[in-house]
Structure formats: C-alpha cells, structure tokens
Amino acid sequence: MSTQKESDAGADAPATTGGLDGDDIEALLGEHVLDREEHNNAPAFVVRADAVQDVLSTLKEEAGFDHLSCVTAEEHEDRFESIYHLKQYDDPTEEVSVVVPTSREEPVSQTAEPVFRAADWHEREAYDLVGVNYEGHPNHERILLPDTWQGHPLGLDYNQDKPQIVTFEENKNPLEGHQRGAEDSDTMYLNVGPHHPATHGVLHVETVLDGEQIADVSPDIGYLHRCEEQMAQKGTYRYQIMPYPDRWDYGPGGIINEWAYARAAEDLADIEVPEYAQVIRTMGSEMCRIACHMLALGTFCLDIYGDFTAIFMYAMRDREEVQNLLEDLTGQRMMFNYLRLGGVVWDIPEPREEYFEKVRDFLDGLPGKLDEYNDLITDNEVFQSRTVDTGYLDPEVAKDYGVTGPVARASGVDYDIRRDDPYGYYDELDWDVVTEDGGDNYARLLVRMREVEQSARIIEQCVDLLEDWPEEDREIQANVPRTLKPDAGTETYKTVEGAKGELGIYIRADGTEKPGRFKIKSPAFCNLAALQEMATGEYIPDLIATLGSLDVILGEVDR
Amino acid sequence: MSSDQPRDSIKGTSDPLTATREDRMGEGVDSRFNSKLREAFGSTPFILTKFDKFMNWVRGSSMFMLQFGIACCSIEMMHTYAVKHDLDRFGSGVPRASPRQADVMIVPGTIVSKFAPRMKRVYDQMPEPKFVVNMGNCSTSGGPFQEGYNVVKGAEEVIPVDIHVPGCPPRPEALVYGVAKLQERVANGESSPVTVKPYELEQFGDLERDEMVEKMAEDIDEETLVMRYNWADSP
C-alpha cells in the first residue's frame, strides 16, 4: 500500500525474553516437543507434523522469535523433514530450529504460512524441489520448476535422465473466476517479463491492472533456476563447492557469497580462520558490496529514467574501478573464487604499497563521486517525485515476510548480521549500520548510497590494518586437512550479511566428503516475495521503480 | 553587404558568422564535400559493387543488439555497452529493448528448461536477417551447471548460433572481439546454417506416446506447443 502509515509498531513489539536457553524453550513448548536435537548453531525441537502452527506461533508470540529465516526440506532414508530456522530481529544470535518429520509414504505437513508470510514461498520451494506437501498452504504449486515437471529433483529416487516436457502456453488470464471484481470493473492482465529490460534478468511479473492501478501482482520465478543446491551437493567441501557461490549473487557479491559458504563449512568442520585472513576477507567483501550497490543504483536509475543515460554510465565507471581493485586482489573480474575454507587463497598482490595506494586513491575519490550522485539523483526533484512515498513497505510487514538487508533497513528495521552476529573482523572496526524510516523507494536508494560510505570506511580501516600487519604474522590460511569429512548428522545454519540481505547456508553432513543437504537461503528471494505488499495499489511505473529498488539478482532468487 | 546591417530580428551584426563560414569554405570551388572516401574513389563519385556485397557491408557496420540479460554474463555485457569498453565504437552499440528492432541477440547466461521456450519466442520475434552471439560457457554448453537437472546444454539446442565467446564470464574485451568477428562474418555474407534442432517446439499431440506423454495427456491440450528435453541424449 502506498499510504504511509504512522508506525508505532516498533514500540510495542513483543518483548524479547532475551537469553532463552534450550530448556526454557522446551518448557514453553510443553508436550509439543517429541524430541530434542542439537544443531551446531541452535537447539532444535522435533514436533509433530500437525502442530507446526501451534509451535511456531508460541515461539513467535511468547519467545520473540519473529524472523523465519529459512525453511529447509530434505529427504532421509526413512522420512522427510522440514526444518524451520527461527531467529529474532532484535538479536539474531538467538536461534531455534523446529524440525518437522513426516513419513515417506505420506509426506504431509501443516503449513506455517498463517504464522509467517515468509513461509509461503519457502514451502512452495520445498514442495517443488523435495516433495514435502504442506496442508493448508494457500498456493500449493511449483515455484521454480515448470508446472509440467515430473518428480522432485532433490529427492532421493529422482531419475535425472528421464525426459521432461515444458509447455509453451500463453499465460492464462487469472481474472477468470473468483479473482474478477464486480461486473463493471475493468481489470486488465499484463505480463512483465520474462524478457523485459526492467526486470533485471529473467523475472516474470504477472500483473492485474484496475484502470491504471495495480490490483494484484505476483512474481513468477524460476527462469534462472540452475540447480545450485544440487551442484553444491555434488561437490567436495574443500575445493569443489567454492566456485559456485560466486554465481549466486553475481552483482558481483562474489566474496560475500563465498564467505557465507565458508562460514557455514568452517563452523561445521571446526576451522579457525587466522585474523589476517579475516581482515582481507572483510576488505574484499566490502569492495563487493560497493560494486553491488553501484549496480543497484545504476540500474535503478535506468528504470526510472528509462535509458542508458549519464547516471548508469557513471555507476558503471565506478564499478569498473572497484572491479579493477578486486581483479588485482583475486585475479578475476567477477567470479573470484578467492576464499578457501580456513582463509583466502593468496595474499595482497605485490608490491603491497602500490595496491594499498590504488585502494586509497579509489576511496579518496569516492566522496566527490557520491556528491555527484546526490546532485544527479537524490537532490533531483523529478527523481524525488517519482520515488518518494511509492512502494511503501511497513516494518512489521517486512518482518513477517522475512525481509532483510537494505530493503529492511530502509523500513527502519535495524538488522544487520555484520553487527548483530559478528563474523570476520567487523566487530573490531568502527562503522555504523545505516537505517532510514521512509520505507519507500527513495529510502531504499538512500540506504544503499549511505552504505557505500560505510563500506568505504571499513575498507579504509582494513587497509590501515593490513599495511601495519607484521610480516611474520601474515598467515593467510589455517591448516585444513585435504579431505574434510564432518561427522554424519552434524547440521548447521549460518548467515552472513550479503549485499541484498541475510544470506544463509544450511549444511547437513552425512559423513562423506560431500554435503548431505546443502540449502541456500537467499535474501533476494524473501525480498521479492514482499513485492506484492509494496506494489499493490500503485501505478505501473511505480511497480517498475519498486522492482528496481528491491535490487533482485535473479541468480540469487532462483539459485 | 545587406546582411551586414542589423535587422529587427537580429540584434547586432551577423558579420562574424559570415566570416567564419567563409573561412571554413575557403577560396575557390566549394570543397566541403571532399573527404578521404571521395579521394579513394578517384575521379568518379560512383562505386561499382554487387548489391549483395554492399548490403552485407552495411549490415555488418550497423548492428542493433537486443537488450537481453539472463545471468552473470549480462553484467559483463552491460560493462561492454558502458563507458571504457563502449561497444558503440564498433558500430554495434545501443541495445534495443524490443526484439522487433534488433538484429543481434547476445545470449548471456544459463538457459534453463523454463526459459528456453521464451528465448525461442524472443528469437522468433526478431526480423530477418538475425544473428546470435553466445556469451559464456553456459550458453555454449551449460558451463559449470551442465550436470544440473534443469539446465539446457547450450543455447544451440534451441536456436542457431553464429559465434561462441568462451569464458565464465568472458571479459568485455572478449565480447567485443566476438562481436567484431560476427561483423566480419556478416560483411562477408556468412551466417550459421539454420538447422532443425532436436528440441524444436512440437505439438504435444504429435509426440511419441511414451510413458511421460501418456501421463500428461489429460492435462495438456493436443494443440499446445511443448519443448521436450531429453537429458539423457543431450551432449
């Protein structure tokens, strides 16, 4: 909805009980708990398949777990399992997992959609790829694969060699039947995409217009579903998985994505990363963040102004500079493959002084460029009238959808994994989490632009640290065994702050050198699910602007 | 000169303008239309060439790209269009948003089962003659995702391709080289032969009645066009 509501919800949000341990939660859930497991990150409670809503709403209302971070489904020899990973927006280190086993013969589980809107898409994906059915789900159909697909590809008995058929039908008009309004209303159905300049890739948005206003919008994804989870499950921990994260968020959030995998796998295999490597990782991932935000800014203005104009070219020019720095560091422009479990692959390029000087040159030039962007964009009256108060996202709605990253922070949700669940070297450095209260397209752009400044601050401090680091302590990799075989049954879910939001990896080890289940929780996936809340009631150009301000990268949405 | 006198509409003398113009034109016969090209023709301003050859040369020198982003490679493609690399320098620049205005389709990314029919439709909408540049390993062969259950093993399974640019993703320079090579081919009147693709769209009713077709026969209309993926037979 476009009307900006007085938001006092932050004040009377459910009081967090703070520091609940597993036993407290077990007591709270009472007889619902069938069994208890320990995941590496959090306590996990096994509950009956028909008590999902009860358990989750108890946790949400009474224990303050208001963030459904991820839903993982997997198939075991004897059962299907759905795992709900819950967190708190106030303190993401408070985590709990709810494990819902169902039988292999009848994989039916109660839906969590009435409790968390975020479960809508997550459960559809779980049904699509693994084959768990969710009873009571409002829209129980495939999400990533075509409707005609036979079988569930991440299931155990899926035969990949079987031919598949994909139809080429016109998209049906959803207005037939119950969705049509009163007799005299003139609604119109409009397809945006999957090949469209404003969808930032291959996204298909099914839109229903009432006059010029949007009555209903539903993103249709899966046009870039390239089996990233299957690819990761086929690779060995040590080397074969690391190249794939670069291709999730190709913004390029390469190093951040690699770090998401590295964080989960290092937690699983209990690897300590040397501090020096942590500083390099921190610097690299902030460079990636700048490149991502520049792309978001450039393409957003491309959507607003409609052509390859100055702002797009300026943003590309600045990205080019960041990419040059990253290329010097990693050897590649986009697909870095720079992190290794336990460190990074090599040190800062020699001569070090020259590299640091290049980075400093870039950072020195940045404030001037940001002023230029502000003159061109944020101070521009035309731009403001296009973006202020359009695509409004209420903070409570954002939390319900599991929205994270710049999109959530622009709605005033003060949530940043880098600060709240620190990893790498972030807690040693001096920087701020950027939030805005606007919740509209303009606020989302502002957050990104201000985050670029903060990233520059972090990089500056990292460069200082790296420059003064004593030569004998420059340890870039921990001593990691050639073959990693974490114990069977160990499970972990770890997140990092990607450029688009909370990027989480769930890994279950099965005792071999390859993961038993590898689940990617993508931030853009959750952010895109909230599109209908932002765009309904708006005009079509505002829908395009909202889509641009969400900054979805389809490689990450579809995986 | 009369033009030297100020008129109502012209404030101030126009003398400087006239002087500048006369300076530019120089003495004697007007030589403004002389150029290097004209000199190359010699004494006659006519060219003798085959019409086809001339058309090919024109085609190769003005190519309109389709603004078509799929995956990671499209980011590098954007860099190719933007400052620094600036594909426009080679007479093949500004991407067109509509396939009906485009001659060249760069396929920058992984083709998956759901997208392949849509890509074919976009290709079909482009006016003849049309050319395709494959950018990156995914659109050549499926690239790092070749083993995936949902990934089409190269754009060539769906549409004819003229140039393959390898890389993951190729650098902008590589794409520029690929496009330049395509221009060269077009100027020489070469293009890839259009062959019938194994997974060309088919009517559902015409498909061989195997287990899969039997299973879906009730759900899908016989008239419906479908694309059939035979993963096992794929390269």
Side-chain angles (χ1 to χ4, degrees), chain A residues 348-385:
Chain A
I348 305 283
E350 295 288 349
R352 292 164 66 90
E353 297 71 35
E354 202 176 290
Y355 184 71
F356 293 135
E357 200 177 316
K358 269 190 203 166
V359 179
R360 289 218 172 91
D361 278 351
F362 168 70
L363 294 177
D364 290 342
L366 203 56
K369 285 171 187 160
L370 287 173
D371 286 345
E372 197 172 46
Y373 285 124
N374 279 320
D375 283 345
L376 273 168
I377 312 169
T378 49
D379 293 349
N380 184 338
E381 215 172 294
V382 179
F383 186 84
Q384 287 179 1
S385 62

Side-chain angles (χ1 to χ4, degrees), chain A residues 160 163 221 225 244 333, chain B residues 76 114 144 147 149 171 212:
Chain A
Q160 202 183 311
I221 61 174
H225 173 58
Y244 285 102
R333 274 169 65 88
Chain B
E76 286 296 65
K114 205 171 171 181
E147 309 266 290
Y149 50 83
R171 298 177 64 92
M212 171 79 60

Side-chain angles (χ1 to χ4, degrees), chain A residues 293-294 296-301 304 311 373-374 376-379 383 387 406-407 410 434 436 440-452 548-550:
Chain A
H293 285 351
M294 286 293 173
L297 180 126
T299 49
F300 183 46
C301 293
I304 299 280
I311 303 165
Y373 285 124
N374 279 320
L376 273 168
I377 312 169
T378 49
D379 293 349
F383 186 84
T387 53
V407 181
V434 177
E436 289 280 339
D440 52 12
N441 291 336
Y442 188 64
R444 289 192 272 278
L445 181 78
L446 276 189
V447 165
R448 293 212 174 84
M449 290 187 62
R450 288 174 55 200
E451 272 185 16
V452 169
S549 76
L550 279 180

Side-chain angles (χ1 to χ4, degrees), chain A residues 435-550:
Chain A
T435 56
E436 289 280 339
D437 292 329
D440 52 12
N441 291 336
Y442 188 64
R444 289 192 272 278
L445 181 78
L446 276 189
V447 165
R448 293 212 174 84
M449 290 187 62
R450 288 174 55 200
E451 272 185 16
V452 169
E453 290 171 30
Q454 297 300 329
S455 296
R457 264 176 84 186
I458 297 175
I459 296 173
E460 199 162 19
Q461 294 170 51
C462 289
V463 170
D464 291 341
L465 280 166
L466 290 173
E467 200 164 35
D468 299 337
W469 211 277
E471 200 166 345
E472 61 279 11
D473 287 350
R474 289 182 196 156
E475 195 188 343
I476 53 163
Q477 271 186 41
N479 194 8
V480 182
R482 185 171 291 270
T483 320
L484 285 176
K485 285 186 182 173
D487 297 335
T490 10
E491 298 175 43
T492 191
Y493 175 69
K494 281 285 179 191
T495 55
V496 299
E497 183 70 25
K500 317 285 181 280
E502 181 187 72
L503 175 61
I505 303 296
Y506 166 85
I507 304 179
R508 174 175 58 83
D510 60 358
T512 64
E513 56 188 12
K514 299 173 179 180
R517 177 79 172 97
F518 189 97
K519 160 84 190 171
I520 308 155
K521 182 260 169 175
S522 122
F525 182 78
C526 301
N527 295 355
L528 185 61
L531 176 69
Q532 70 185 85
E533 296 288 338
M534 294 181 233
T536 310
E538 306 261 331
Y539 298 117
I540 273 280
D542 296 334
L543 166 74
I544 300 297
T546 308
L547 208 53
S549 76
L550 279 180

Side-chain angles (χ1 to χ4, degrees), chain A residues 178-234:
Chain A
H178 67 283
Q179 284 193 38
R180 189 184 282 278
E183 280 298 307
D184 53 341
S185 78
D186 53 343
T187 46
M188 181 182 136
Y189 179 67
L190 184 72
N191 274 318
V192 185
H195 161 243
H196 188 276
T199 53
H200 296 212
V202 281
L203 169 67
H204 176 204
V205 186
E206 297 167 351
T207 319
V208 178
L209 296 180
D210 181 5
E212 278 190 65
Q213 281 181 320
I214 291 164
D216 187 26
V217 49
S218 107
D220 171 24
I221 61 174
Y223 293 95
L224 192 52
H225 173 58
R226 42 189 184 182
C227 331
E228 300 272 12
E229 287 172 13
Q230 186 203 24
M231 293 293 111
Q233 279 166 219
K234 280 181 163 182

Side-chain angles (χ1 to χ4, degrees), chain A residues 148 150 160 162-164 166 168 195 202 220-221 223 225-226 230 244 247 319-320 327 333-334, chain B residues 67-68 72 75-76 79 110 112 114 117 144 147-150 168 171 212 215-216 225 227 229-230:
Chain A
T148 48
Q150 304 289 307
Q160 202 183 311
K162 228 168 61 170
Q164 296 282 352
V166 177
F168 190 48
H195 161 243
V202 281
D220 171 24
I221 61 174
Y223 293 95
H225 173 58
R226 42 189 184 182
Q230 186 203 24
Y244 285 102
R247 289 153 180 91
R319 265 175 62 84
E320 198 75 58
E327 190 183 352
R333 274 169 65 88
M334 280 178 72
Chain B
Q67 187 177 346
F68 188 60
C72 336
I75 305 285
E76 286 296 65
H79 276 273
T110 321
V112 303
K114 205 171 171 181
E147 309 266 290
Y149 50 83
N150 193 27
C168 190
R171 298 177 64 92
M212 171 79 60
K215 198 170 175 182
M216 303 180 76
L225 282 173
M227 194 166 265
Y229 300 101
N230 263 328

